Amino acid sequence: MEKKTQTADRKPQTEGPKKKALVLFSGGLDSRIAAKMIEEQGFEIHLAFVKLPFGGGCCNNLPCIFNFAQTQGFHLHIIDATKADNFLEYVQIVKKPRHGRGTAMNPCKDCKIYIFKKGWEIKEKLGCDIMVTGEVSGQRPMSQKRNTLLFDDEMSGLTGKIVRPLSAKVLPETDYEKEGVVDREKFLSVEGRRREVQMRMADEYKIKYPGPGGGCLLCEEVYSKKLKILYDYVGDRLPNYLEILFLKRGRMFKKDGLLFVGRNEEENIFIKEVAKDLKWNIVFREDIPGPTIVFDQETDTEFAKGLWKAYSGKDLDERAKFSEWCI
Ligand code: SF4
C-alpha cells in the first residue's frame, strides 16, 4: 500500500518559478526523505539544522550534514543554539519547561516548540513558501505521538502550517495541502517506529543516512542528575555553555563549590582548556601521572589537592573518602 504511493508519479516538477521550502533537518533518515519528497514537488530546498547545546536529533555530525546538503544541492542553514541569545533561551526552557519533561531532564514538548519557532523565523526570513519536517506519527514515545505533533503545532502558533510528508495522510490536512501549494496525494501515511518504508525510499533516492539517533544528553539519567545540580548551584543565573561542557567530560564533585576530575588524557586536556576560559583553578602535575582537577572559586584548594592525591593513586579506600561529594 505504502509502496504504491511512494513510487507513483515520482517525477520532479520543473515548470514555472521555483517555490521554496524550509525543511527542519535533524540529519537523520526521515528528514532526508522528507526533503527529497518535497524537492520532487518542484521546491528549492533549504535545510535548517538546529544545533542544540545538549545534542539531539539523529545526527550531531556537522560534516555529515554538510555532505548531504552539498551532494543534493540543497541550501543549508545552521541555527546555533549553543551561543548568544539562542543559548540563553534554550537553557531557560530546560530550567523551567512549560509542558513538563520526559523520563529525565528532557523538555521535549518545549524543545520542539523552540525548534519550530526558530525554523519559522528562518522560513520567513528566506521567504520560503512552506515549512516541512520529517516527523513520523507515533515514532517516538513522547515527542512524535499524533496528538503531541498537533499539540506542538498549536503551542507554536503553527496549526495547519507544518507539512509532514511522511505522515501527512494520517494527519489533518495542512493549509498548504488545502490550497494546493503541495500535493497531498503524493504524501504518505507512515506511522510508528518501523523504518522499512523510509529505508526503501532511501535506496530509491540513492541517499546515505546515519543510524537512528538518540544523542540527546537531556534524556540520560546520569547526565540529567549532573545538570540539575549545576542548575541548582548557579541559582538565579543560568549556566553558561562552558560550565555545561564540563558535564560531558570528567567526574563531577560538589562540595562548597564544583570540581571536575579528568578520567583520561583527553579529558584532562579538555577540562583544563575550559577551566582557563572560565578562570577556574587547576590542579595537575607535569612530573607525576595523575588526573587534572579543575574547580571554581568556592572550592577549598586543600580539598582539591586531596582529591588529586586520591585519584592519582590506586588506593580505592582513599577515593572512597570523597565519595559523599561525587555526583
Ligand atoms: S529528545 Fe526531546 S529534549 Fe532532546 S532534542 Fe529531542 S525533543 Fe529536544
Side-chain angles (χ1 to χ4, degrees), residues 21-25 28-48 68 72 74-75 132-134 163 165-166 205 207:
L22 191 285
V23 181
L24 281 176
F25 189 63
L29 171 61
D30 296 344
S31 54
R32 288 174 195 231
I33 299 293
K36 292 298 290 178
M37 289 175 73
I38 293 295
E39 183 192 32
E40 282 184 341
Q41 294 206 16
F43 284 79
E44 176 180 297
I45 303 296
H46 291 257
L47 306 175
F68 176 73
Q72 299 301 320
F74 295 160
H75 302 266
V132 177
T133 80
V163 178
L166 286 160
Y205 285 128
I207 55 174

Tab-separated table of all heavy atoms in Angstrom, residues 21-25 28-48 68 72 74-75 132-134 163 165-166 205 207:
chain	number	residue	atom	x	y	z
A	21	ALA	N	11.107	25.710	0.002
A	21	ALA	CA	10.673	25.006	1.216
A	21	ALA	C	11.782	25.031	2.250
A	21	ALA	O	12.956	24.803	1.935
A	21	ALA	CB	10.321	23.555	0.888
A	22	LEU	N	11.388	25.331	3.495
A	22	LEU	CA	12.332	25.242	4.612
A	22	LEU	C	12.080	23.891	5.280
A	22	LEU	O	10.981	23.631	5.771
A	22	LEU	CB	12.063	26.401	5.587
A	22	LEU	CG	13.030	26.732	6.720
A	22	LEU	CD1	12.964	25.754	7.876
A	22	LEU	CD2	14.466	26.888	6.234
A	23	VAL	N	13.090	23.037	5.261
A	23	VAL	CA	12.946	21.713	5.880
A	23	VAL	C	13.722	21.705	7.192
A	23	VAL	O	14.939	21.905	7.203
A	23	VAL	CB	13.499	20.599	4.950
A	23	VAL	CG1	13.324	19.227	5.597
A	23	VAL	CG2	12.816	20.646	3.588
A	24	LEU	N	13.010	21.490	8.294
A	24	LEU	CA	13.700	21.344	9.585
A	24	LEU	C	14.442	20.023	9.550
A	24	LEU	O	13.829	18.962	9.443
A	24	LEU	CB	12.695	21.373	10.731
A	24	LEU	CG	12.205	22.755	11.134
A	24	LEU	CD1	11.147	22.647	12.211
A	24	LEU	CD2	13.355	23.634	11.611
A	25	PHE	N	15.751	20.097	9.657
A	25	PHE	CA	16.595	18.965	9.316
A	25	PHE	C	17.312	18.429	10.551
A	25	PHE	O	18.147	19.127	11.141
A	25	PHE	CB	17.609	19.437	8.264
A	25	PHE	CG	18.411	18.334	7.649
A	25	PHE	CD1	17.803	17.351	6.905
A	25	PHE	CD2	19.786	18.301	7.802
A	25	PHE	CE1	18.540	16.334	6.326
A	25	PHE	CE2	20.534	17.284	7.225
A	25	PHE	CZ	19.915	16.304	6.488
A	28	GLY	N	18.843	13.023	10.180
A	28	GLY	CA	18.517	11.595	10.100
A	28	GLY	C	17.765	11.210	8.838
A	28	GLY	O	17.480	12.038	7.973
A	29	LEU	N	17.460	9.928	8.797
A	29	LEU	CA	16.807	9.347	7.614
A	29	LEU	C	15.504	10.068	7.256
A	29	LEU	O	15.279	10.436	6.092
A	29	LEU	CB	16.536	7.864	7.900
A	29	LEU	CG	15.686	7.097	6.896
A	29	LEU	CD1	16.339	7.085	5.520
A	29	LEU	CD2	15.468	5.662	7.378
A	30	ASP	N	14.639	10.273	8.237
A	30	ASP	CA	13.306	10.794	7.939
A	30	ASP	C	13.345	12.199	7.332
A	30	ASP	O	12.616	12.485	6.380
A	30	ASP	CB	12.442	10.798	9.204
A	30	ASP	CG	12.191	9.386	9.721
A	30	ASP	OD1	12.411	8.426	8.961
A	30	ASP	OD2	11.787	9.250	10.884
A	31	SER	N	14.190	13.058	7.897
A	31	SER	CA	14.201	14.421	7.341
A	31	SER	C	14.887	14.447	5.976
A	31	SER	O	14.589	15.295	5.135
A	31	SER	CB	14.806	15.435	8.315
A	31	SER	OG	16.069	15.060	8.742
A	32	ARG	N	15.777	13.493	5.713
A	32	ARG	CA	16.382	13.392	4.374
A	32	ARG	C	15.305	13.010	3.353
A	32	ARG	O	15.221	13.585	2.260
A	32	ARG	CB	17.512	12.358	4.363
A	32	ARG	CG	18.740	12.865	5.120
A	32	ARG	CD	19.836	11.821	5.260
A	32	ARG	NE	20.769	12.296	6.290
A	32	ARG	CZ	22.078	12.379	6.170
A	32	ARG	NH1	22.678	11.981	5.079
A	32	ARG	NH2	22.825	12.852	7.149
A	33	ILE	N	14.484	12.017	3.738
A	33	ILE	CA	13.424	11.572	2.831
A	33	ILE	C	12.412	12.709	2.608
A	33	ILE	O	11.971	12.966	1.480
A	33	ILE	CB	12.685	10.335	3.408
A	33	ILE	CG1	13.653	9.173	3.597
A	33	ILE	CG2	11.511	9.930	2.511
A	33	ILE	CD1	14.213	8.582	2.339
A	34	ALA	N	12.052	13.384	3.709
A	34	ALA	CA	11.075	14.481	3.584
A	34	ALA	C	11.585	15.542	2.612
A	34	ALA	O	10.836	16.036	1.757
A	34	ALA	CB	10.816	15.095	4.962
A	35	ALA	N	12.874	15.878	2.727
A	35	ALA	CA	13.450	16.897	1.826
A	35	ALA	C	13.368	16.439	0.369
A	35	ALA	O	13.012	17.211	-0.527
A	35	ALA	CB	14.896	17.183	2.228
A	36	LYS	N	13.683	15.166	0.141
A	36	LYS	CA	13.645	14.653	-1.235
A	36	LYS	C	12.208	14.643	-1.784
A	36	LYS	O	11.971	14.964	-2.946
A	36	LYS	CB	14.227	13.228	-1.282
A	36	LYS	CG	15.712	13.143	-1.011
A	36	LYS	CD	16.564	13.884	-2.007
A	36	LYS	CE	16.605	13.252	-3.371
A	36	LYS	NZ	17.413	14.035	-4.326
A	37	MET	N	11.250	14.269	-0.917
A	37	MET	CA	9.852	14.240	-1.379
A	37	MET	C	9.367	15.636	-1.760
A	37	MET	O	8.627	15.809	-2.738
A	37	MET	CB	8.946	13.668	-0.268
A	37	MET	CG	9.128	12.175	-0.047
A	37	MET	SD	8.140	11.599	1.353
A	37	MET	CE	6.489	11.653	0.640
A	38	ILE	N	9.792	16.611	-0.992
A	38	ILE	CA	9.356	17.987	-1.284
A	38	ILE	C	10.083	18.518	-2.523
A	38	ILE	O	9.503	19.229	-3.348
A	38	ILE	CB	9.595	18.886	-0.047
A	38	ILE	CG1	8.667	18.453	1.088
A	38	ILE	CG2	9.401	20.355	-0.364
A	38	ILE	CD1	7.175	18.639	0.816
A	39	GLU	N	11.334	18.129	-2.658
A	39	GLU	CA	12.077	18.533	-3.859
A	39	GLU	C	11.345	18.031	-5.117
A	39	GLU	O	11.252	18.726	-6.124
A	39	GLU	CB	13.499	17.954	-3.818
A	39	GLU	CG	14.348	18.397	-5.010
A	39	GLU	CD	15.645	17.602	-5.129
A	39	GLU	OE1	15.664	16.413	-4.763
A	39	GLU	OE2	16.629	18.180	-5.612
A	40	GLU	N	10.814	16.809	-5.023
A	40	GLU	CA	10.100	16.228	-6.164
A	40	GLU	C	8.859	17.022	-6.557
A	40	GLU	O	8.362	16.905	-7.658
A	40	GLU	CB	9.660	14.799	-5.829
A	40	GLU	CG	10.788	13.813	-5.943
A	40	GLU	CD	10.319	12.397	-5.693
A	40	GLU	OE1	9.247	12.209	-5.107
A	40	GLU	OE2	11.036	11.489	-6.083
A	41	GLN	N	8.379	17.803	-5.598
A	41	GLN	CA	7.208	18.624	-5.929
A	41	GLN	C	7.636	19.994	-6.462
A	41	GLN	O	6.839	20.942	-6.501
A	41	GLN	CB	6.290	18.755	-4.707
A	41	GLN	CG	5.674	17.431	-4.314
A	41	GLN	CD	4.346	17.576	-3.581
A	41	GLN	OE1	3.703	18.616	-3.594
A	41	GLN	NE2	3.924	16.501	-2.935
A	42	GLY	N	8.896	20.095	-6.824
A	42	GLY	CA	9.369	21.289	-7.528
A	42	GLY	C	9.867	22.410	-6.647
A	42	GLY	O	10.006	23.547	-7.115
A	43	PHE	N	10.148	22.107	-5.381
A	43	PHE	CA	10.605	23.166	-4.468
A	43	PHE	C	12.136	23.273	-4.437
A	43	PHE	O	12.830	22.263	-4.573
A	43	PHE	CB	10.129	22.875	-3.037
A	43	PHE	CG	8.677	23.151	-2.801
A	43	PHE	CD1	7.703	22.250	-3.217
A	43	PHE	CD2	8.273	24.323	-2.167
A	43	PHE	CE1	6.354	22.496	-2.999
A	43	PHE	CE2	6.928	24.577	-1.948
A	43	PHE	CZ	5.966	23.666	-2.359
A	44	GLU	N	12.607	24.500	-4.231
A	44	GLU	CA	14.022	24.709	-3.889
A	44	GLU	C	14.136	24.397	-2.400
A	44	GLU	O	13.360	24.922	-1.597
A	44	GLU	CB	14.378	26.169	-4.164
A	44	GLU	CG	15.779	26.567	-3.783
A	44	GLU	CD	16.001	28.049	-4.103
A	44	GLU	OE1	15.942	28.436	-5.292
A	44	GLU	OE2	16.198	28.817	-3.131
A	45	ILE	N	15.104	23.566	-2.030
A	45	ILE	CA	15.161	23.081	-0.642
A	45	ILE	C	16.180	23.846	0.200
A	45	ILE	O	17.356	23.959	-0.158
A	45	ILE	CB	15.506	21.574	-0.605
A	45	ILE	CG1	14.483	20.767	-1.411
A	45	ILE	CG2	15.573	21.066	0.845
A	45	ILE	CD1	13.063	20.796	-0.893
A	46	HIS	N	15.689	24.336	1.326
A	46	HIS	CA	16.552	24.965	2.328
A	46	HIS	C	16.475	24.122	3.598
A	46	HIS	O	15.407	24.012	4.205
A	46	HIS	CB	16.084	26.395	2.629
A	46	HIS	CG	16.300	27.320	1.483
A	46	HIS	ND1	17.331	28.231	1.445
A	46	HIS	CD2	15.634	27.441	0.302
A	46	HIS	CE1	17.289	28.887	0.290
A	46	HIS	NE2	16.268	28.435	-0.417
A	47	LEU	N	17.586	23.512	3.970
A	47	LEU	CA	17.616	22.717	5.199
A	47	LEU	C	17.975	23.629	6.364
A	47	LEU	O	18.892	24.455	6.243
A	47	LEU	CB	18.678	21.614	5.107
A	47	LEU	CG	18.609	20.661	3.913
A	47	LEU	CD1	19.809	19.713	3.927
A	47	LEU	CD2	17.303	19.863	3.936
A	48	ALA	N	17.273	23.480	7.477
A	48	ALA	CA	17.635	24.239	8.691
A	48	ALA	C	17.970	23.237	9.791
A	48	ALA	O	17.117	22.440	10.195
A	48	ALA	CB	16.484	25.134	9.130
A	68	PHE	N	25.571	15.909	3.030
A	68	PHE	CA	24.255	15.618	2.438
A	68	PHE	C	23.745	16.841	1.667
A	68	PHE	O	23.288	16.730	0.523
A	68	PHE	CB	23.257	15.229	3.531
A	68	PHE	CG	21.868	15.003	3.002
A	68	PHE	CD1	21.571	13.865	2.256
A	68	PHE	CD2	20.856	15.930	3.225
A	68	PHE	CE1	20.291	13.658	1.742
A	68	PHE	CE2	19.577	15.726	2.721
A	68	PHE	CZ	19.296	14.594	1.981
A	72	GLN	N	23.266	16.906	-2.477
A	72	GLN	CA	21.899	17.049	-3.011
A	72	GLN	C	21.655	18.417	-3.636
A	72	GLN	O	20.587	18.669	-4.195
A	72	GLN	CB	20.866	16.838	-1.883
A	72	GLN	CG	20.916	15.475	-1.242
A	72	GLN	CD	20.691	14.350	-2.233
A	72	GLN	OE1	19.850	14.451	-3.126
A	72	GLN	NE2	21.458	13.281	-2.098
A	74	PHE	N	21.276	21.155	-1.891
A	74	PHE	CA	20.345	21.884	-1.028
A	74	PHE	C	21.084	23.004	-0.297
A	74	PHE	O	22.259	22.878	0.016
A	74	PHE	CB	19.730	20.945	0.027
A	74	PHE	CG	18.862	19.845	-0.532
A	74	PHE	CD1	18.587	18.711	0.230
A	74	PHE	CD2	18.297	19.940	-1.801
A	74	PHE	CE1	17.777	17.702	-0.269
A	74	PHE	CE2	17.490	18.931	-2.306
A	74	PHE	CZ	17.231	17.803	-1.540
A	75	HIS	N	20.358	24.064	0.017
A	75	HIS	CA	20.934	25.128	0.848
A	75	HIS	C	20.893	24.659	2.304
A	75	HIS	O	19.951	23.995	2.706
A	75	HIS	CB	20.115	26.417	0.724
A	75	HIS	CG	20.006	26.916	-0.689
A	75	HIS	ND1	20.863	27.859	-1.216
A	75	HIS	CD2	19.151	26.578	-1.680
A	75	HIS	CE1	20.529	28.080	-2.481
A	75	HIS	NE2	19.497	27.328	-2.791
A	132	VAL	N	8.641	22.325	6.530
A	132	VAL	CA	8.468	20.873	6.438
A	132	VAL	C	9.267	20.199	7.541
A	132	VAL	O	10.354	20.671	7.910
A	132	VAL	CB	9.022	20.399	5.063
A	132	VAL	CG1	8.936	18.889	4.917
A	132	VAL	CG2	8.301	21.101	3.910
A	133	THR	N	8.753	19.098	8.074
A	133	THR	CA	9.579	18.272	8.959
A	133	THR	C	9.502	16.814	8.496
A	133	THR	O	8.585	16.430	7.774
A	133	THR	CB	9.125	18.317	10.447
A	133	THR	OG1	8.015	17.443	10.623
A	133	THR	CG2	8.776	19.703	10.906
A	134	GLY	N	10.443	16.020	8.961
A	134	GLY	CA	10.434	14.584	8.640
A	134	GLY	C	9.766	13.768	9.728
A	134	GLY	O	9.926	12.553	9.776
A	163	VAL	N	4.212	21.006	7.351
A	163	VAL	CA	3.988	19.941	6.371
A	163	VAL	C	4.845	18.736	6.750
A	163	VAL	O	6.064	18.865	6.927
A	163	VAL	CB	4.361	20.442	4.948
A	163	VAL	CG1	4.176	19.326	3.924
A	163	VAL	CG2	3.516	21.656	4.579
A	165	PRO	N	5.506	15.277	5.158
A	165	PRO	CA	5.214	14.418	4.005
A	165	PRO	C	5.117	12.939	4.338
A	165	PRO	O	4.351	12.213	3.718
A	165	PRO	CB	6.414	14.657	3.067
A	165	PRO	CG	7.066	15.885	3.555
A	165	PRO	CD	6.753	16.033	5.001
A	166	LEU	N	5.856	12.479	5.344
A	166	LEU	CA	5.866	11.043	5.638
A	166	LEU	C	4.562	10.558	6.285
A	166	LEU	O	4.149	9.421	6.083
A	166	LEU	CB	7.057	10.703	6.544
A	166	LEU	CG	8.407	10.727	5.823
A	166	LEU	CD1	9.554	10.861	6.791
A	166	LEU	CD2	8.569	9.470	4.992
A	205	TYR	N	16.126	6.709	-3.679
A	205	TYR	CA	16.710	8.043	-3.878
A	205	TYR	C	18.237	7.989	-3.962
A	205	TYR	O	18.880	8.995	-4.228
A	205	TYR	CB	16.342	8.966	-2.714
A	205	TYR	CG	14.923	9.479	-2.714
A	205	TYR	CD1	14.116	9.343	-1.582
A	205	TYR	CD2	14.392	10.139	-3.816
A	205	TYR	CE1	12.819	9.832	-1.558
A	205	TYR	CE2	13.096	10.633	-3.790
A	205	TYR	CZ	12.313	10.471	-2.669
A	205	TYR	OH	11.038	10.955	-2.638
A	207	ILE	N	20.314	7.710	-1.428
A	207	ILE	CA	20.927	8.592	-0.425
A	207	ILE	C	21.417	7.768	0.762
A	207	ILE	O	20.829	6.754	1.120
A	207	ILE	CB	19.968	9.708	0.077
A	207	ILE	CG1	18.661	9.123	0.606
A	207	ILE	CG2	19.726	10.737	-0.987
A	207	ILE	CD1	17.751	10.159	1.241
